[in-house]
Amino acid sequence: MDNSNKRLVLERIREKLLSLFGRTPEDATRQQIYRAAALTLRDELMPLWRQSEQRDLAESRKLYYLSVEFLPGRIFHSNLLNTGLWDAYSGALKELGVPLEELFQQEREPGLGNGGLGRLAACFMDSLATLNLPAMGCSIRYEFGLFRQQIEDGAQVELPDVWLDEDFVWEIERPEDAIEVHFGGKVAEQWENGRLCINHTGYSTVLAIPYDIPVVGYQSQTTNTLRLWSARAPERLDMDQFNRGQYIKALEETELAEVISKILYPADSHIQGKELRLKQHYFFTAATVGYILREYKKTKNRLSDLPKYVCIQINDTHPGLAIPELMRLLLDEERLSWDDAWDIVSRTFHYTNHTIMSEALEQWPISLMQPLLPRIYSILQAINEHICSRLWSFYPGQWEKIGQMAILGFGQVRMANLCVAVSAHVNGVSGLHADILRQQLFHDYYLVEPWKFLGITNGVTHRRWLMLANPKLAEAITEAIGPKWIREPERLSELASFSADPAFLERIGAIKRSNKERFAAFLQETQGVTLPCDAVFDVQAKRLHEYKRQLMNVLHVIYLYDRLLAEPELSMQPQVFLFAAKAYPNYRVAKQIIRLIHKVADMIERTPRVCDVLKVAFVDNYSVESAQILIPAAEISEQISTAGREASGTGNMKFMLNGAITLGTLDGANVEIHDRVGDEGMFLFGLEAREAEALLSGKTYNAGALYESDPLLRRVLDYLINGRIVAEDPRMFQDLYHLLLFGDDHGLADNYLVLRDFSAYIGAHRRALQTYSRPSEWNAMAVKNIAQAGYFSSDRAIAEYNSLIWQL
Ligand code: 26Q
């Protein structure tokens, strides 16, 4: 970028500082400089954003990606990279004596998601814009994102995540696009001139106000929109009440309306049928569908053409109420016949499933849904009848089967059945996951309409997760193979030949080292924890859940600890075990595991000699931001879920892209990583999905017998109860011990096969360390992994969605 550009940017930032804050760079705060700089960049984006929107109106088909979560991470940084204005801005800010990095840190991260599903949605938005596909992401503008995690005496404490305390630079409020959403009331059906008319009265109204965030593609011609809906009480209604002297009541109702978009529910698999959550889901789907239809009617008049122009992807079942809502608008407002409305709806929606665990399948008690959404419920009844009668012709007489496939049953609305029955496509998020959907979870539906079911393996944007998060590695790659990989990630394969180039391998090793130091400095600064950078960095970063088996990871650390004590002569490669994970606040076992991680860390610290070779550290409050520092520093990527449980995983892809080697099971997308890098490119261990399923469903699995027969296992597990971890409270981890050996009230012992896979897991670690002791071999393995990681770009995933489903 030339100097004139830099000077122009500098001039604009000065002007902004003056007009917004009455300050000059000399006396402005960092936050003010950040806001001024970000706003000048936003100004820069506006024309293309506007142009993209105008073009969408005319263009053939547009995608609406509905998701109850989006986790975009910080935006200033990625917008600078994507627009190609990096050099101009960094030059301008250097003149002001402000390093760009410091400005980025002024931006609050919108933590509007729990984990994988929300981050996937954000990666998809990046790729859609980069591939010039017209799309809008739709969700809720939660005032509080996922809780901030603090650790007190080893235990997780949740604090509110305040991200809107200052205006968020990247959003634009659009009150002119507000939509009314109705809750409660009574529905009367009435025949008028041979038509059924619906009269909905006595409802309460909430206004949905959209806030738009531009989604900038990488040097593309498209800027898409992430539209977040915020709940507000309708003013007019308040005034009526004020006039009637019901001041307090009016304010109360305002609160009740606005609480809808207050907070993101922390949940990744445990579901509580909370009324407020149901309100959230209906609120944002009704707003979105209402908006889509209004927008459509501005330029088109044939509703039957809607599927030609509108494509709605449902990210898991949470936005599934969009289905009956579109039916409602077409029937009640547009007055279409049932058949015409059904025809449109069943060609418009597509559904992605992200979980097979039955406890994570969304269901709502009818007793909750019916009073809150009376008309939606009556439409669900009608859809249910329609579906069941169709199923009847495929499965004549099989009442029980049809009962299980129904949308309503046992007093519940089953959202997954609704989404499968109505959507034109249903997809799993990895090959293995799609097979499980076809063969198990949705098998009966699969037999009826096999063509509906697809597998589209997840992907991550290599621009954020490599180019932005790991600039040194990105630079080395570009020097080696040129810059085309940034648009065409499959070209990373050209790196393969460099795995035999000693100078390149050395460079890769040095980059990893410097990323480890960068992370160590971060942890020192934020938590006061010191990491030895000569040790191998072994990382498990993901939500805390039993199926992800962080517990097995800690037990392995205990095993190493015990060996070091038992064998005084043993020399061991120094190892740092890093954990980052938030636990669902009511998930007792998950919280105990967090505590165990901390207490094992303490035990190691106070044990001479062991503390010279082992270190356990917990990275508090895992977020997109900390992931971007942590993942590039990782050498071993722990992807150790019980086979068959992790639908895909996306962290596994981010680690691979950054040259970490996967130590994992054949689960989710690990299977496809293994397909690409082979046995020699990762450290595979443990049962496969079919074996795990057979073992657990046969009810023959006997964890206790393993414990009895394996002295090593016994030694390790006994740490949980023998007081060596926490002498003052030897029973602190008794529950975990019991869970592994006796199960909980309902279940089998060791439901996630920790004991069964334990010795194989130890073996995988042993193999990993052997390879690690030969640095050039290790680095070659890292390079081969990076070279195979292009497939796991969300560009590829989005291209597949587009060719198989959307056809935008
Ligand atoms: C369901 C019903 C009611 C309330 C909450 C929920 C709920 C909320 C969030 C259920 C699940 C989630 C989140 C699921 C999730 O993140 N799944 C992950 O999705 C990733 C992207 O596809 C996969 O890579 C992971 O394997 C999967 O666990």
Side-chain angles (χ1 to χ4, degrees):
M1 197 68 53
D2 53 41
N3 259 332
S4 64
N5 244 331
K6 180 180 89 180
R7 268 198 302 279
L8 198 64
V9 168
L10 190 58
E11 207 34 56
R12 290 200 180 138
I13 294 176
R14 281 182 188 282
E15 280 167 19
K16 259 299 183 249
L17 268 177
L18 193 62
S19 68
L20 277 179
F21 306 111
R23 288 283 178 273
T24 66
E26 291 66 41
D27 54 12
T29 63
R30 280 284 189 272
Q31 174 68 205
Q32 287 168 335
I33 296 179
Y34 156 69
R35 302 181 82 77
L39 283 168
T40 58
L41 180 62
R42 199 182 84 174
D43 292 346
E44 202 80 43
L45 309 177
M46 283 296 177
L48 187 59
W49 194 11
R50 163 89 190 160
Q51 233 180 60
S52 305
E53 263 175 11
Q54 293 298 108
R55 199 177 48 199
D56 290 355
L57 285 179
E59 225 172 10
S60 53
R61 199 198 308 254
K62 179 165 176 171
L63 169 71
Y64 296 87
Y65 195 87
L66 270 58
S67 177
V68 79
E69 307 190 348
F70 276 90
L71 267 176
R74 285 182 181 151
I75 290 172
F76 187 28
H77 193 169
S78 63
N79 281 358
L80 270 185
L81 280 174
N82 285 357
T83 49
L85 290 171
W86 179 278
D87 289 345
Y89 272 77
S90 88
L93 288 157
K94 198 174 276 159
E95 299 252 315
L96 298 180
V98 189
L100 262 183
E101 284 300 328
E102 251 178 59
L103 276 203
F104 297 153
Q105 288 165 16
Q106 293 293 323
E107 183 170 315
R108 294 246 204 270
E109 167 179 337
L112 310 183
N114 276 280
L117 170 138
R119 182 53 231 176
L120 183 78
C123 283
F124 280 7
M125 290 304 292
D126 178 273
S127 290
L128 283 159
T130 300
L131 298 178
N132 285 304
L133 298 172
M136 179 182 261
C138 303
S139 189
I140 300 174
R141 181 175 176 271
Y142 303 104
E143 200 178 316
F144 298 96
L146 186 63
F147 64 85
R148 206 151 47 82
Q149 178 191 53
Q150 240 179 42
I151 304 294
E152 281 173 22
D153 188 26
Q156 170 178 297
V157 177
E158 300 88 25
L159 297 171
D161 165 59
V162 181
W163 70 288
L164 288 170
D165 53 343
E166 315 217 35
D167 291 343
F168 186 60
V169 167
W170 302 104
E171 68 179 8
I172 293 184
E173 184 183 353
R174 302 217 187 273
E176 67 276 19
D177 278 357
I179 298 273
E180 276 194 14
V181 181
H182 297 162
F183 292 98
K186 290 263 173 299
V187 170
E189 299 183 351
Q190 202 170 349
W191 288 93
E192 272 171 28
N193 309 326
R195 290 191 69 97
L196 185 65
C197 289
I198 300 297
N199 199 6
H200 189 184
T201 53
Y203 52 76
S204 57
T205 300
V206 177
L207 277 186
I209 313 283
Y211 287 71
D212 288 354
I213 298 175
V215 181
V216 175
Y218 179 74
Q219 296 179 2
S220 78
Q221 293 313 303
T222 301
T223 295
N224 284 325
T225 300
L226 173 57
R227 169 160 280 200
L228 304 178
W229 296 95
S230 182
R232 196 170 298 168
E235 249 165 71
R236 198 165 24 83
L237 208 119
D238 289 351
M239 285 319 295
D240 287 351
Q241 286 188 333
F242 287 135
N243 294 341
R244 280 183 274 123
Q246 294 183 324
Y247 170 70
I248 295 291
K249 183 153 185 277
L251 286 185
E252 276 172 1
E253 281 184 10
T254 305
E255 282 287 297
L256 280 179
E258 295 181 356
V259 78
I260 290 179
S261 55
K262 214 26 119 198
I263 180 157
L264 165 76
Y265 274 92
D268 56 355
S269 58
H270 282 237
I271 299 114
Q272 279 177 316
K274 284 270 197 283
E275 181 177 23
L276 185 55
R277 180 151 186 145
L278 179 57
K279 278 190 181 166
Q280 290 186 332
H281 292 184
Y282 181 66
F283 165 76
F284 101 95
T285 52
T288 302
V289 171
Y291 162 75
I292 292 172
L293 205 58
R294 193 167 68 192
E295 214 37 34
Y296 178 80
K297 285 166 58 181
K298 281 184 188 164
T299 54
K300 317 276 182 322
N301 41 31
R302 281 164 48 136
L303 284 169
S304 58
D305 281 345
L306 190 82
K308 274 195 206 156
Y309 296 95
V310 169
C311 190
I312 303 180
Q313 189 72 33
I314 309 255
N315 198 25
D316 217 300
T317 55
H318 322 138
L321 291 176
I323 293 170
E325 176 64 9
L326 183 57
M327 280 303 279
R328 185 186 73 81
L329 291 178
L330 296 176
L331 293 169
D332 301 359
E333 310 279 328
E334 305 297 335
R335 316 206 120 268
L336 296 192
S337 70
W338 173 274
D339 288 344
D340 289 345
W342 179 259
D343 179 64
I344 293 169
V345 168
S346 57
R347 289 187 293 134
T348 302
F349 288 96
H350 314 276
Y351 156 56
T352 306
N353 172 285
H354 297 264
T355 340
I356 40 176
M357 292 196 297
S358 53
E359 69 266 31
L361 288 182
E362 193 186 12
Q363 302 201 359
W364 292 103
I366 291 173
S367 58
L368 195 66
M369 175 107 53
Q370 187 168 23
L372 188 68
L373 306 168
R375 179 57 183 145
I376 291 300
Y377 180 68
S378 74
I379 288 172
L380 287 172
Q381 284 178 308
I383 294 178
N384 189 47
E385 275 168 34
H386 182 89
I387 294 292
C388 288
S389 75
R390 269 196 352 200
L391 290 174
W392 175 256
S393 59
F394 194 87
Y395 291 119
Q398 302 190 48
W399 279 120
E400 196 166 324
K401 193 187 284 292
I402 294 172
Q404 279 166 4
M405 297 170 78
I407 290 157
L408 307 177
F410 294 97
Q412 303 275 335
V413 180
R414 301 160 175 162
M415 296 301 291
N417 285 354
L418 169 70
C419 292
V420 171
V422 182
S423 297
H425 296 94
V426 177
N427 79 284
V429 290
S430 71
L432 175 63
H433 174 57
D435 282 342
I436 293 174
L437 293 187
R438 284 187 276 244
Q439 301 311 329
Q440 295 170 34
L441 195 62
F442 299 137
H443 186 63
D444 294 332
Y445 271 109
Y446 172 64
L447 293 181
V448 181
E449 297 174 298
W451 56 85
K452 258 197 193 181
F453 290 82
L454 307 171
I456 302 181
T457 301
N458 280 167
V460 301
T461 166
H462 60 292
R463 284 170 293 273
R464 179 172 287 269
W465 293 107
L466 174 51
M467 184 176 76
L468 182 153
N470 197 342
K472 288 190 172 143
L473 181 57
E475 192 186 314
I477 294 173
T478 298
E479 273 176 39
I481 63 171
K484 286 191 175 159
W485 62 274
I486 300 173
R487 293 197 137 277
E488 301 165 46
E490 298 277 1
R491 282 182 183 266
L492 284 172
S493 62
E494 293 165 22
L495 270 184
S497 59
F498 288 83
S499 66
D501 175 340
F504 191 76
L505 295 183
E506 206 150 296
R507 182 162 178 199
I508 291 297
I511 290 170
K512 185 59 80 182
R513 171 76 192 206
S514 102
N515 286 328
K516 287 163 74 177
E517 283 163 4
R518 179 176 70 156
F519 177 73
F522 166 81
L523 207 65
Q524 183 68 252
E525 192 187 310
T526 52
Q527 294 177 221
V529 172
T530 311
L531 298 180
C533 289
D534 288 324
V536 59
F537 278 22
D538 177 307
V539 185
Q540 187 170 19
K542 47 181 84 253
R543 282 299 291 264
L544 216 138
H545 200 291
E546 285 165 275
Y547 84 80
K548 296 180 187 279
R549 297 200 290 193
Q550 282 96 345
L551 180 54
M552 186 165 74
N553 190 341
V554 202
L555 291 174
H556 170 249
V557 177
I558 295 175
Y559 158 79
L560 295 176
Y561 176 93
D562 187 68
R563 268 196 72 190
L564 280 165
L565 285 190
E567 302 170 49
E569 300 306 313
L570 184 69
S571 92
M572 194 184 276
Q573 157 69 42
Q575 298 173 75
V576 168
F577 294 93
L578 291 160
F579 291 86
K582 290 184 180 179
Y584 179 67
N586 292 336
Y587 189 174
R588 245 193 40 252
V589 177
K591 287 191 144 177
Q592 277 171 356
I593 294 171
I594 288 185
R595 196 161 216 170
L596 177 64
I597 294 169
H598 283 89
K599 295 301 170 185
V600 168
D602 295 347
M603 171 176 82
I604 291 171
E605 291 302 315
R606 62 173 187 259
T607 312
R609 201 171 70 87
V610 178
C611 68
D612 297 332
V613 277
L614 297 183
K615 171 114 199 162
V616 170
F618 190 89
V619 185
D620 300 354
N621 196 39
Y622 189 48
S623 62
V624 176
E625 210 38 53
S626 55
Q628 287 170 196
I629 312 173
L630 174 58
I631 292 172
E635 296 176 295
I636 295 179
S637 157
E638 298 266 355
Q639 306 300 336
I640 58 177
S641 51
T642 314
R645 300 304 173 104
E646 190 70 273
S648 160
T650 44
N652 47 3
M653 303 169 185
K654 295 165 198 162
F655 283 98
M656 180 187 188
L657 203 52
N658 282 280
I661 312 298
T662 307
L663 190 157
T665 47
L666 273 180
D667 198 15
N670 297 355
V671 174
E672 289 153 79
I673 292 178
H674 180 252
D675 289 344
R676 281 171 178 76
V677 301
D679 284 340
E680 62 289 353
M682 66 187 284
F683 302 103
L684 198 63
F685 74 94
L687 293 186
E688 296 187 19
R690 253 176 302 125
E691 298 168 317
E693 166 70 18
L695 191 57
L696 286 171
S697 66
K699 310 248 183 251
T700 53
Y701 176 53
N702 189 341
L706 278 177
Y707 173 86
E708 292 302 335
S709 65
D710 184 347
L712 186 151
L713 205 51
R714 211 156 52 224
R715 282 182 73 89
V716 172
L717 287 189
D718 286 353
Y719 271 75
L720 297 176
I721 49 162
N722 64 16
R724 294 175 71 176
I725 302 176
V726 185
E728 316 82 77
D729 185 1
R731 308 176 63 150
M732 188 177 273
F733 302 113
Q734 186 180 300
D735 289 354
L736 292 176
Y737 178 86
H738 271 257
L739 207 56
L740 290 172
L741 291 175
F742 311 109
D744 60 14
D745 306 340
H746 344 274
L748 210 61
D750 188 21
N751 255 318
Y752 298 96
L753 304 174
V754 170
L755 304 194
R756 179 65 179 74
D757 277 345
F758 192 62
S759 63
Y761 182 54
I762 292 176
H765 272 282
R766 197 169 293 141
R767 282 182 279 135
L769 289 191
Q770 274 161 12
T771 311
Y772 194 77
S773 70
R774 298 184 289 274
S776 65
E777 197 179 315
W778 183 271
N779 290 333
M781 204 165 165
V783 170
K784 285 181 198 152
N785 266 271
I786 301 167
Q788 290 298 322
Y791 176 80
F792 298 105
S793 167
S794 44
D795 289 0
R796 188 270 315 150
I798 287 299
E800 280 185 30
Y801 274 91
N802 196 37
S803 80
L804 296 173
I805 303 179
W806 306 328
Q807 272 141 19
L808 306 173

